[in-house]
Amino acid sequence: MRNLVEIYLYFALIVVTTSDKKVTDKSWWQTASFYQIYPRSFKDSDGDGIGDIKGITQQLSYLKEIGIDATWLSPVFKSPMADFGYDVADFTEIDPIFGTMADFDELMEKSKEIGVKIILDFVPNHTSDEHEWFIKSVQNDTEYADYYVWHPGKVTENGTRIPPTNWISVFRGSMWTWNENRQAYYLHQFHYKQPDLNYYNPKVREAMKDVLRFWVRKGVAGFRIDAVPHIYEVAPDSDGNWPDEPRNYWENDLEDYNSLQHIYTKDQPETLEMVYEFREVMNELDEELGGYQHIILSEAYTDIDILMQYYGNTTVDGAHIPFNFELLSNLKSWSDANHYSQLIHNWLDSMPAGRTANWVLGNHDQSRIGTRLGWERIDMINVMLKTLPGASITYQGEEIGMTDVWISWENTVDPQGCQSSMQEYERLSRDPARTPFQWNDEHQAGFTDGNTTWLPLHANYKTLNLKRERGISFSHLNIYKQLQKLRREKAMRYGETDVMAFNRNVLAIKRYLSGERTFIVLLNINDDYEAVNPKAAFIDLTDKLEYILTTDKSIRQKGDRVSSDYIELLSKEAVILATI
Ligand code: BGC
């Protein structure tokens, strides 16, 4: 058995090394633990069943408790809530559902007091159709007429007016909606209540940069930038027309976004330039305000080659953190260790020199980790997230192991679900991952004093909640907290990284830095018992290793010592060991 393991190791090694020469001169965000708050579902302070800013302020110390450096908030701006805040009616006003500007200022105060930075969601692609700019654009107001993308449409032989192109919106159906007042179609990559801004208009670009300036001057640490690949469509030809997009014949439903290849509406080269311009604004603000670097985290589900360009190049900087969705989008419950390793390598091996890696395992648009990959893998995934190099991003509730809630068609509120059908909505609705945070086992899980919650609570909240997990030594929460402490170790923060699959089941991560203890992270992804030999796989390991972190799946305990050439792993066990 041992020999076989060793032989396998010699052939199966794929090692990557990230080298950071000046290891300790990193800016705050490069090794930060980020946490996404979905404000509607975090904490409700006024009993209306919807979370709010005061609720976040009340619970900000919880983020400190779990070692978070900065939290990014999904939108809290004035909005008719057609897409729950991603349809912004005023970029510099707080929506009354979430509170007031005074509440926001109080949150900023608290954030400074306890040292958890606040990052806002910046939605550049579109506004709400109730935004003043759009209302004026509909009226053909000279200043705002070209703020959005308008077209009179095409008239067919039988005299019917049809949209200018076949483009399909992300939320299904035509990307064009007719406006009676302006007698023209407007473009919307998402919901019809989210008209797209026209980025070929320099006034739009400047107005949106002003939004960034406004909030940074109010003290925020930066922005998560929403739906970046959609910012630009191809420029119209000299007659003001656009080409149709080609079909994807594997999708028969012509109303479905997947039925077209989005060669004219996604990932246009101008989009990258825009990211670089947003970064320039951040750099200017850094200079104006001093203190620390203000950052951008860009959201883009796109090819890794394009994502690497989001970072910038040798002459220009781009996003500090282009979200890395490799693991989030591609890991499946049946993925083996080679797949895990390959996905991690995809990012690390493609990154331009001197850039910072990041790892995102969940967000408000995706099914939760425990549902997607299996609840037995919750700790293992958090172990991986927290021991890979660079920044880690946790979606609220993943640290206590919350899972998706099944929501009936009648109770579905997410527009992406509602715009589909009773047969299709479960594949599309994002409601299941957006249910209220489970604070305790009391009334409404401690989320609200009211009698309703905007989405149903998970039925398991009596046993799965923060309060209870605080008292259980091997709870998801306490594993997470231990991981956060470990992240402060120099080797974890500044060290180099080797990642490899020992075999189909075991993923290994080595973190090391000269003069520091080396850490070996082992994940046994499946149910087989495994025995592995890290000593043969990694150079410079001591003969003995010490268990630094174990989970409820382990027989070994923290502090136990073991030979570094023979380490047994039980079903779905994740452990961290250190050289002695
Ligand atoms: C956000 C979604 C939102 C969409 C449109 C995204 O990528 O994360 O929640 O529906 O942008 O703004």
Side-chain angles (χ1 to χ4, degrees):
M1 173 78 172
R2 276 175 79 166
N3 281 348
L4 272 181
V5 171
E6 279 166 29
I7 292 165
Y8 184 90
L9 288 178
Y10 283 109
F11 290 98
L13 303 193
I14 321 165
V15 183
V16 69
T17 300
T18 53
S19 62
D20 266 314
K21 291 274 151 35
K22 296 200 186 58
V23 286
T24 47
D25 57 356
K26 287 193 188 295
S27 184
W28 71 271
W29 53 273
Q30 293 182 283
T31 56
S33 290
F34 292 91
Y35 186 92
Q36 178 190 356
I37 288 182
Y38 191 68
R40 293 181 73 86
S41 296
F42 192 57
K43 173 76 182 168
D44 176 23
S45 74
D46 61 6
D48 66 356
I50 303 173
D52 46 44
I53 292 176
K54 267 195 166 59
I56 298 173
T57 309
Q58 279 168 17
Q59 298 294 354
L60 206 61
S61 53
Y62 164 57
L63 268 51
K64 191 76 192 167
E65 174 188 334
I66 59 169
I68 299 299
D69 300 291
T71 176
W72 77 265
L73 315 182
S74 282
V76 289
F77 317 111
K78 196 172 159 213
S79 164
M81 303 288 161
D83 189 17
F84 297 105
Y86 284 95
D87 48 322
V88 182
D90 190 332
F91 289 105
T92 55
E93 279 293 336
I94 301 293
D95 193 276
I97 283 184
F98 295 118
T100 62
M101 194 58 95
D103 294 342
F104 182 81
D105 291 340
E106 210 181 297
L107 171 66
M108 291 310 303
E109 280 301 305
K110 183 82 182 179
S111 126
K112 272 180 226 135
E113 183 193 315
I114 67 171
V116 174
K117 292 184 169 60
I118 302 292
I119 290 173
L120 290 180
D121 209 332
F122 176 58
V123 187
N125 180 64
H126 44 265
T127 69
S128 161
D129 63 344
E130 297 180 34
H131 195 292
E132 195 191 352
W133 298 343
F134 188 72
I135 293 166
K136 289 188 169 158
S137 197
V138 165
Q139 293 159 356
N140 240 326
D141 177 295
T142 37
E143 181 69 14
Y144 295 98
D146 293 331
Y147 257 53
Y148 297 84
V149 186
W150 293 99
H151 193 281
K154 292 192 288 206
V155 180
T156 61
E157 277 170 17
N158 65 12
T160 330
R161 193 177 290 276
I162 58 167
T165 63
N166 69 344
W167 300 348
I168 294 291
S169 105
V170 178
F171 290 167
R172 217 188 142 74
S174 177
M175 212 184 258
W176 299 96
T177 289
W178 178 253
N179 181 277
E180 239 351 87
N181 289 335
R182 181 146 162 177
Q183 288 289 299
Y185 288 95
Y186 64 88
L187 179 118
H188 51 92
Q189 294 239 11
F190 293 87
H191 198 268
Y192 74 92
K193 283 185 71 65
Q194 293 168 298
D196 267 48
L197 286 161
N198 170 19
Y199 272 79
Y200 291 104
N201 180 347
K203 285 185 195 158
V204 167
R205 297 201 297 272
E206 206 41 42
M208 292 307 282
K209 289 180 187 174
D210 279 345
V211 174
L212 299 175
R213 295 180 181 113
F214 175 87
W215 289 110
V216 170
R217 287 177 184 139
K218 275 187 95 57
V220 307
F223 301 90
R224 175 263 190 186
I225 307 190
D226 181 73
V228 180
H230 304 271
I231 290 180
Y232 275 91
E233 298 74 43
V234 72
D237 65 19
S238 52
D239 298 326
N241 294 319
W242 294 272
D244 279 350
E245 287 187 329
R247 274 290 313 275
N248 266 332
Y249 287 99
W250 51 267
E251 176 56 73
N252 292 327
D253 179 354
L254 291 177
E255 300 281 287
D256 192 294
Y257 187 63
N258 290 332
S259 66
L260 297 178
Q261 297 168 37
H262 304 289
I263 57 174
Y264 300 125
T265 56
K266 211 180 152 220
D267 296 324
Q268 301 303 300
E270 292 85 353
T271 302
L272 278 175
E273 293 305 319
M274 203 59 235
V275 172
Y276 303 157
E277 284 188 34
F278 289 146
R279 170 63 184 263
E280 214 177 292
V281 176
M282 292 294 113
N283 291 350
E284 284 162 18
L285 288 162
D286 289 348
E287 216 157 278
E288 176 188 317
L289 300 168
Y292 55 79
Q293 286 181 14
H294 298 86
I295 62 163
I296 54 185
L297 308 104
S298 56
E299 186 223 21
Y301 291 91
T302 193
D303 295 348
I304 198 154
D305 302 350
I306 299 176
L307 285 172
M308 291 302 139
Q309 297 176 55
Y310 275 59
Y311 272 123
N313 51 46
T314 45
T315 53
V316 66
D317 284 330
H320 301 73
I321 299 182
F323 278 152
N324 172 1
F325 294 137
E326 280 295 289
L327 293 160
L328 178 72
S329 301
N330 301 310
L331 269 192
K332 304 286 177 234
S333 58
W334 57 86
S335 295
D336 66 12
N338 292 312
H339 193 209
Y340 277 65
S341 170
Q342 180 202 337
L343 295 171
I344 294 167
H345 278 269
N346 282 354
W347 195 271
L348 291 178
D349 298 354
S350 315
M351 240 178 21
R355 303 292 175 183
T356 300
N358 76 90
W359 311 94
V360 186
L361 266 304
N363 65 38
H364 66 295
D365 293 329
Q366 310 290 338
S367 172
R368 286 185 176 278
I369 294 170
T371 304
R372 211 168 59 236
L373 301 175
W375 61 269
E376 287 174 291
R377 294 200 180 99
I378 291 171
D379 293 328
M380 164 187 305
I381 298 295
N382 280 333
V383 169
M384 177 175 69
L385 170 70
K386 293 294 173 184
T387 55
L388 286 168
S392 74
I393 298 122
T394 297
Y395 175 49
Q396 72 177 40
E398 297 290 11
E399 75 285 11
I400 58 167
M402 283 177 61
T403 49
D404 288 1
V405 176
W406 181 81
I407 294 172
S408 68
W409 168 243
E410 290 73 26
N411 291 333
T412 292
V413 293
D414 173 27
Q416 185 162 273
C418 294
Q419 292 207 171
S420 67
S421 63
M422 196 171 165
Q423 288 70 38
E424 282 288 292
Y425 85 98
E426 285 179 70
R427 179 175 64 85
L428 295 165
S429 173
R430 299 164 298 176
D431 292 337
R434 296 178 176 181
T435 60
F437 191 90
Q438 294 162 210
W439 294 99
N440 56 42
D441 59 359
E442 293 152 32
H443 178 75
Q444 309 282 26
F447 167 69
T448 178
D449 291 339
N451 291 326
T452 55
T453 56
W454 78 283
L455 281 175
L457 283 164
H458 201 301
N460 69 5
Y461 79 86
K462 294 260 177 205
T463 49
L464 195 147
N465 61 67
L466 172 70
K467 185 176 162 207
R468 181 158 183 266
E469 289 196 24
R470 278 193 177 121
I472 300 173
S473 50
F474 283 111
S475 65
H476 302 304
L477 175 80
N478 281 324
I479 297 291
Y480 191 92
K481 282 191 189 176
Q482 281 188 60
L483 287 165
Q484 292 292 73
K485 279 209 187 100
L486 262 174
R487 269 174 83 79
R488 292 194 211 124
E489 293 269 351
K490 279 194 178 149
M492 289 285 189
R493 210 164 254 254
Y494 310 114
E496 303 194 27
T497 310
D498 295 347
V499 177
M500 68 176 77
F502 276 0
N503 57 35
R504 286 192 63 243
N505 292 331
V506 180
L507 181 81
I509 303 168
K510 177 185 176 190
R511 301 298 315 275
Y512 56 106
L513 181 69
S514 157
E516 299 290 323
R517 288 196 300 183
T518 292
F519 293 98
I520 302 293
V521 181
L522 300 173
L523 313 184
N524 183 12
I525 290 158
N526 292 312
D527 286 332
D528 302 334
Y529 157 87
E530 293 288 341
V532 293
N533 183 350
K535 179 106 169 127
F538 294 124
I539 53 162
D540 291 340
L541 287 194
T542 45
D543 288 343
K544 293 258 175 211
L545 296 174
E546 180 183 333
Y547 282 90
I548 297 293
L549 179 137
T550 57
T551 71
D552 62 356
K553 310 225 170 351
S554 312
I555 302 179
R556 298 289 192 161
Q557 288 181 13
K558 202 167 152 180
D560 283 358
R561 293 185 170 196
V562 67
S563 287
S564 56
D565 62 357
Y566 192 74
I567 300 188
E568 295 173 283
L569 293 164
L570 301 182
S571 162
K572 308 256 174 52
E573 185 180 7
V575 295
I576 304 180
L577 301 122
T579 50
I580 298 165

